[in-house]
Amino acid sequence: MNAPRPGLKPLDDALAELLGHAEALAGVESVSTFDADGRVLAQELVSALHVPPQDNSSMDGYAVRCADLVQGRSHTGLPVSQRIAAGSSGAPLAPMSLARIFTGAPIPPGADAVVMQEDCEVLADGAVRIKAVPVPGQWIRRAGEDVALGAVVLSRGERLTPASLGLAASIGMNLLPVVRRPRVALFSTGDELVMPGDVAPEQMKPGSIYNSNRFFLRALLLRLGCEVSDLGIVPDRLDATVQALRSAAENHDLILTSGGVSVGEEDHIKPAVQSLGSLDLWQIAIKPGKPFAHGRVQNAHFIGLPGNPVSSFVTFLVLVRPFLLKLQGVTQLATHSIAVPAHFTWARADKRREFLRVRRNAAGGLELFANQSSGVLTSAVWGDGLVDNPPGRTIAHGDTVRFIPFAEVLG
Ligand code: AMP
Ligand code: MG
C-alpha cells in the first residue's frame, strides 16, 4: 500500500531540519595563510601586537610640535633636525625644530602632528616654513587603531576572505588553523546522460542529453572548500545505485546525487538509500526544486537533488550550501537578500515559494529571464541572482522584491 503523500514542506522548515543533522566536522588542519581563502577558521585569532605597532605618519611632510608653531603669525621657518623614512625610527624631536617624515614612518617622541609637504615651503637656508598651522594629532595614524594588542581579530567559524588573510598576516600569522575540508562524493543518475567529450553532438542518440549538472555541482562544491570525488554517472538500476552508494559511503562525509529522487519507476535513489541506511524524501514547497532527499548511508550524509538542472542549481544554493558551511563550523549561515524594485511583472502566483532568475539593469531594477522553466539552465547564466518570491505573490512593475545576488551564494 502506498504511504500517504506528505504535504509540501516549507523551505525554512526543511532547512532547519537539514541543518539539525549537520554536526560540525571534527578535524583541524594548519594551512599556509596564502592558501586559506574560503576556508573556515577553527580557532579565534588574538593579536599579540598593536597594528600599526607605533604612531606613524599618514603623509609625506614634516613632524612638528604644535606648540612651536604659533597660530596667526607666520614665522620665518624652523630647522630640520632629522629625517625619518618608513622602516626607520627617529630620535626625540628637538624643540623648535621639524623632522622630515615619510608615510608609514614612526612619529618621533615629542612630535604631535604632521604637516603635509604641500603645506610647507623650503627656504633658501634649508629651514622650512609651515604655511598651515596643524591641530594636534593631524596626519598621525595611532598605534593599535586597526587592531589593539589582545583583540580578537577573526572568530572561530568565520569564513576567510582575501581581506581576512591580509588581516591575519598583519598580526603575524603565516599559518592558520582551519576546519578540514568536507569530503563529498558526487554522482549523477540517469540513463539518458552522456558526458561531453565521449559523444560528439552530431552523434548523440535520440533521447540522450549531456550531463550538465555534474559540471556545475562539482564547481559549486569546490567553491565551498570541499574535496570532491566525482563518481560519474550511475545507471538507472537498483543494483548499480546500491553499489555506488555503498562504496561512496566508506570515505566521504556527504554523498550528493542529482536525478532519480522523484517517485517514478526509474527513480532508484529512494529504495537504494533505504536499503543501506535511512531516507527522508521531501517535497519542498519551492519552485523550481520540489523533490529533495536527505538521509544517511552508513556514516555518510546523503543528499539527493532533483535532476532538472535549474532545480538542482537552486536547491544546492538554498539547502546544500548552508549544510556544507555548517559542517565546516560556519556560524553565519543566513543568506542576505536585498530590496530591489522589479522592472517586470509576474502575474502567475504560485502556491510555492519561487526563486526567479533575474538580473540587474542599469536603472537599478531587476529584469526577468523570459523562460523560467526548471530545465532552462540559460536562465541561471543570463541572471545575476534570484528573486525570493513568497508563495501566492504576484509582482507588479515597480514592486519591491527580495533579491539574492549570485555573488552572495556562489562562493
Ligand atoms: P529526474 O529527476 O531523474 O527525473 O530528472 C528530471 C529531468 O532532469 C530529466 O529531464 C532529466 O533528463 C534531467 N536530468 C537529470 N539529470 C541530469 C543531469 N545530470 N544533467 C542534465 N539534465 C539532467
Ligand atoms: Mg532520472
Side-chain angles (χ1 to χ4, degrees):
M1 207 178 83
N2 285 338
R5 192 189 141 97
L8 298 189
K9 198 186 268 294
L11 178 61
D12 290 341
D13 295 356
L15 182 59
E17 202 172 317
L18 188 64
L19 293 179
H21 293 293
E23 64 293 340
L25 298 173
V28 177
E29 57 193 50
S30 177
V31 299
S32 162
T33 304
F34 282 121
D35 301 325
D37 184 30
R39 303 295 297 272
V40 179
L41 208 55
Q43 288 156 22
E44 67 180 15
L45 300 188
V46 176
S47 181
L49 82 173
H50 280 323
V51 182
Q54 301 96 30
D55 288 1
N56 67 90
S57 177
S58 61
M59 285 288 166
D60 291 338
Y62 294 87
V64 304
R65 209 187 279 276
C66 291
D68 292 348
L69 307 168
V70 180
Q71 187 90 41
R73 206 192 75 195
S74 67
H75 68 92
T76 51
L78 291 174
V80 176
S81 55
Q82 58 180 319
R83 185 176 189 279
I84 314 166
S88 64
S89 63
L93 183 64
M96 295 307 286
S97 79
L98 309 174
R100 180 72 170 122
I101 197 164
F102 299 92
T103 304
I107 303 296
D112 58 4
V114 170
V115 180
M116 64 163 101
Q117 60 195 24
E118 291 81 351
D119 290 335
C120 302
E121 182 187 352
V122 181
L123 305 176
D125 62 355
V128 171
R129 195 172 71 86
I130 303 294
K131 296 187 284 187
V133 174
V135 292
Q138 176 179 289
W139 302 128
I140 293 178
R141 299 190 288 220
R142 292 294 174 197
E145 86 173 26
D146 187 356
V147 179
L149 185 151
V152 175
V153 171
L154 294 165
S155 305
R156 181 170 171 217
E158 233 178 284
R159 239 180 132 207
L160 296 162
T161 64
S164 40
L165 302 188
L167 193 60
S170 80
I171 63 161
M173 307 291 296
N174 65 322
L175 297 172
L176 294 176
V178 296
V179 178
R180 77 164 171 82
R181 294 181 184 280
R183 291 187 282 264
V184 182
L186 175 65
F187 60 82
S188 324
T189 72
D191 284 346
E192 70 279 32
L193 301 178
V194 167
M195 282 302 288
D198 286 356
V199 181
E202 59 279 11
Q203 256 115 49
M204 289 284 272
K205 287 203 246 105
S208 294
I209 57 165
Y210 287 120
N211 182 351
S212 48
N213 297 358
R214 184 174 178 182
F215 288 83
F216 67 73
L217 290 174
R218 181 174 182 279
L220 288 166
L221 290 166
L222 291 175
R223 285 193 178 198
L224 287 169
C226 300
E227 224 171 78
V228 181
S229 311
D230 187 341
L231 303 179
I233 298 166
V234 176
D236 284 327
R237 287 198 329 265
L238 183 60
D239 59 339
T241 310
V242 169
Q243 199 188 322
L245 288 170
R246 187 185 285 126
S247 71
E250 271 165 30
N251 42 17
H252 293 95
D253 303 302
L254 169 67
I255 303 170
L256 182 68
T257 66
S258 76
V261 288
S262 306
V263 282
E265 280 164 33
E266 297 297 337
D267 295 319
H268 300 292
I269 287 288
K270 187 181 178 205
V273 176
Q274 280 169 333
S275 75
L276 295 168
S278 59
L279 184 80
D280 287 317
L281 189 59
W282 297 337
Q283 302 282 306
I284 300 180
I286 59 170
K287 192 178 172 190
K290 194 163 66 166
F292 182 92
H294 171 262
R296 288 197 85 95
V297 178
Q298 291 145 20
N299 287 325
H301 290 279
F302 169 82
I303 291 179
L305 300 178
N308 274 309
V310 187
S311 306
S312 213
F313 185 73
V314 168
T315 47
F316 186 97
L317 296 184
V318 299
L319 289 160
V320 182
R321 179 178 183 276
F323 178 83
L324 284 167
L325 292 176
K326 176 130 192 264
L327 274 193
Q328 294 178 75
V330 172
T331 45
Q332 295 294 319
L333 293 171
T335 300
H336 299 293
S337 60
I338 49 177
V340 182
H343 287 181
F344 62 87
T345 57
W346 185 246
R348 287 177 291 127
D350 199 277
K351 285 202 204 75
R352 291 178 271 164
R353 181 168 165 185
E354 292 175 290
F355 289 92
L356 306 171
R357 277 75 66 213
V358 295
R359 79 176 179 202
R360 273 171 290 201
N361 61 25
L366 296 172
E367 285 172 18
L368 183 75
F369 189 73
N371 188 338
Q372 293 285 323
S373 154
S374 62
V376 175
L377 198 52
T378 307
S379 67
V381 176
W382 181 93
D384 63 5
L386 301 168
V387 163
D388 181 354
N389 193 41
R393 176 84 56 92
T394 56
I395 300 170
H397 197 283
D399 281 357
T400 298
V401 294
R402 301 306 307 182
F403 174 61
I404 304 171
F406 282 145
E408 171 81 18
V409 285
L410 286 187

